[in-house]
Amino acid sequence: MSDLQLDSHGHLRHLLTLENLGGERIGALLDRAAALRAEFRAGAAMPPLLSGRTVINLFFEPSTRTRTSFELAARRLGALVVNFDIGSSSTSKGETLEDTLATLEAMDADAFVVRHKENGTPARLAAHARRAAILNAGDGNHAHPTQGLLDLLTLRDRKGRIDGLKVTICGDIKHSRVARSDIHGLAALGAGEIRLCGPASLLPGVGEFPQCRLFDDFDEALDNVDAVVMLRLQKERMDSLPDLDEAGYFERYGLSSARLSRATANALVMHPGPMNRGIEIAADVADGAQSAILDQVANGVFVRMAVLAELLRV
Ligand code: CP
């Protein structure tokens, strides 16, 4: 794990990646998210854990789920939230990210939620933060740790455990920060087998994930798995598009209900969103009984509450 993530007492100071975070710490975050969810769903007033604290969303890439759920999470726990408008900010006048951070920190911001196309930008800011916590909301293809946590929570809820589960991740793994955080989280919690499937040009580099099995054939990759995570083609990160057209891609790597029947009877269907229906996933599967996609979205709010509370030490 990046040393930047922990303070001198071993407490979580920033959340940059799930890599080497450890099963115990990950499990504790999931437990806290589940407890906050139980309170919320029981109709209890949420504890004002973040009252008087300020959370700033710094999104340099588009987002629907992550930005909104961080905002809801922070507001429901009583924080003041600022959605920093990059387009109208002084970053367009050449101000560095570090100076932007220092400027906003001087206004007593307690936490920054950062999404950026460049790998390592949240870590770069964490290295410069004087007091505030940095939360990685997705950097390049490096990490999306809160997405990894909400995926783990969803899987644990539905299957009762992560330990021993067989999980297939299919699609554009090469460009996916979600895949990387899922792999690190699943491995930390003892998943039995992690299978990665996609066109050769979209699989990770040789040796990047020695703990995973690589597949080209999606039917084989689905045999007897407990869950499948589908990923969209991240065309915005590709130098050239795969040889397959959309119909050809769906034929080989799309999740149809017929194909899903190769997995275990109650295999969970997951997708971090945004989905491209008819390309990587059929609409009837996305909306079907085995789909946990909207549960993932709902869990995102509680996971982000738990992470904010943990980092702000309340
Ligand atoms: N899963 C995810 O990160 O979605 P958004 O891009 O909408 O935040």
Side-chain angles (χ1 to χ4, degrees), residues 49-247:
L49 297 174
L50 303 182
S51 176
R53 314 303 285 274
T54 301
V55 175
I56 299 192
N57 277 329
L58 271 181
F59 278 64
F60 293 86
E61 278 192 332
S63 169
T64 294
R65 281 147 284 267
T66 311
R67 194 180 67 80
T68 309
S69 59
F70 261 115
E71 180 169 354
L72 285 172
R75 283 192 196 281
R76 284 179 183 164
L77 293 180
L80 182 68
V81 178
V82 175
N83 288 308
F84 185 75
D85 182 2
I86 305 293
S88 64
S89 75
S90 288
T91 55
S92 62
K93 300 177 202 163
E95 186 165 66
T96 65
L97 282 183
E98 287 82 353
D99 283 338
T100 301
L101 176 78
T103 300
L104 297 171
E105 250 197 315
M107 299 178 198
D108 293 320
D110 296 287
F112 292 88
V113 180
V114 181
R115 171 168 287 189
H116 201 280
K117 67 177 183 182
E118 300 291 343
N119 290 16
T121 299
R124 201 177 117 199
L125 293 178
H128 278 81
R130 285 179 294 118
R131 191 184 58 83
I134 304 294
L135 294 91
N136 183 359
D139 60 330
N141 74 348
H142 169 241
H144 194 346
T146 55
Q147 179 72 44
L149 291 171
L150 73 88
D151 288 349
L152 292 169
L153 180 60
T154 306
L155 201 48
R156 194 181 76 167
D157 286 343
R158 293 280 196 108
K159 295 292 173 188
R161 68 192 202 287
I162 303 291
D163 191 41
L165 292 182
K166 289 184 189 170
V167 180
T168 294
I169 304 174
C170 181
D172 179 5
I173 292 158
K174 180 176 175 181
H175 300 102
S176 176
R177 52 200 177 206
V178 175
R180 284 168 178 76
S181 286
D182 280 354
I183 292 166
H184 291 136
L186 287 166
L189 295 187
E193 193 177 325
I194 306 169
R195 302 178 183 177
L196 308 181
C197 179
S201 63
L202 298 180
L203 285 174
V206 175
E208 187 182 358
F209 293 114
Q211 69 272 53
C212 301
R213 288 179 65 194
L214 304 188
F215 290 77
D216 172 52
D217 184 320
F218 192 21
D219 291 315
E220 273 180 35
L222 280 172
D223 267 341
N224 218 25
V225 292
D226 300 293
V228 53
V229 179
M230 299 305 299
L231 301 173
R232 75 180 172 92
L233 294 168
Q234 298 197 41
K235 292 179 181 168
E236 71 276 21
R237 299 189 207 287
M238 293 179 189
D239 297 326
S240 59
L241 294 178
D243 288 339
L244 296 165
D245 62 14
E246 288 179 355

